[in-house]
Amino acid sequence: CLVPGCWTAAVRPQDAPTTPGMPTRTTRAASSDPAAPTAMPDNHLFKTEAIVLKRSDLGEADRLLALFTPHLGRIRAVAKGARKTTSRLGGHVELFTHVQLMIARGRNLDYVTQAQTLDPFIAIRDDLTLMGHACYLAELVDQIAGEHIANEALYALLLTSLKNLPQARDRGLLLRNFEVQLLSLTGY
């Protein structure tokens, strides 16, 4: 690359030439939060936590995912080949799964390149009533949260609600509490 401050794969960022007055590139997000997305030098590839809100089939073997992240808000991403039986992504991009993702930015959509499950919420998947309640929570977040608008408090609220849902004594109360806090956190 002939542009000042740009480097190729053969040149490490710390060895790249710098030009006075030009901003330097960083490999870590400006946040001091360890869960903040880790960006690569050109911000084309980043790592973030997410909760899978929705998924739909795309083409023959791909899945289109609606993800909610703490620092990037609601995003849409494609998991290439996730519907194939040999896919390494398939089990990690199931509904309501709390995952650590490596995402590559595309022209129109983002692409999931790697995934690691942090919490699969097995108890929710085993009970149809819990699945209905979790779908309701995910649908509320998907409809109300802004796309690419960070909301760490809403992310934490959704995550704790999904964790508390299986052992909640009064699930209706948990859902009403979620609704009120959701409206409060989104400015209504």
Side-chain angles (χ1 to χ4, degrees):
C1 183
L2 300 175
V3 179
C6 180
W7 55 84
T8 60
V11 179
R12 297 182 314 196
Q14 60 269 26
D15 297 337
T18 57
T19 304
M22 292 291 292
T24 57
R25 297 180 179 188
T26 61
T27 58
R28 185 83 182 150
S31 172
S32 62
D33 185 3
T38 305
M40 295 302 156
D42 59 358
N43 291 334
H44 176 72
L45 194 62
F46 58 93
K47 188 176 191 179
T48 187
E49 281 187 22
I51 298 172
V52 180
L53 300 176
K54 284 185 179 179
R55 65 175 190 171
S56 57
D57 295 342
L58 183 68
E60 285 188 26
D62 305 335
R63 282 224 162 99
L64 179 62
L65 306 172
L67 305 167
F68 190 62
T69 67
H71 303 286
L72 302 169
R74 184 174 47 89
I75 60 173
R76 307 269 183 229
V78 175
K80 300 291 263 178
R83 291 171 46 204
K84 292 182 181 178
T85 55
T86 58
S87 173
R88 293 183 179 193
L89 291 177
H92 300 287
V93 293
E94 294 295 321
L95 285 176
F96 320 120
T97 305
H98 181 215
V99 290
Q100 181 83 31
L101 298 172
M102 184 71 75
I103 298 177
R105 291 219 184 263
R107 289 181 191 232
N108 299 322
L109 287 171
D110 296 339
Y111 295 91
V112 176
T113 58
Q114 293 177 7
Q116 179 182 359
T117 302
L118 301 175
D119 192 348
F121 297 114
I122 297 290
I124 291 175
R125 289 195 208 152
D126 289 344
D127 186 349
L128 190 58
T129 305
L130 289 175
M131 189 79 153
H133 293 319
C135 281
Y136 177 68
L137 297 177
E139 186 68 28
L140 284 174
V141 171
D142 189 50
Q143 293 297 316
I144 293 179
E147 192 150 351
H148 298 289
I149 299 173
N151 194 336
E152 294 176 37
L154 181 56
Y155 179 82
L157 174 66
L158 178 61
L159 188 59
T160 55
S161 295
L162 288 173
K163 285 182 180 180
N164 293 334
L165 191 58
Q167 60 264 16
R169 289 186 192 151
D170 186 358
R171 293 184 184 134
L173 183 61
L174 184 136
L175 295 175
R176 298 303 83 77
N177 181 43
F178 181 85
E179 292 166 352
V180 170
Q181 289 188 31
L182 172 72
L183 292 174
S184 173
L185 291 171
T186 54
Y188 287 99

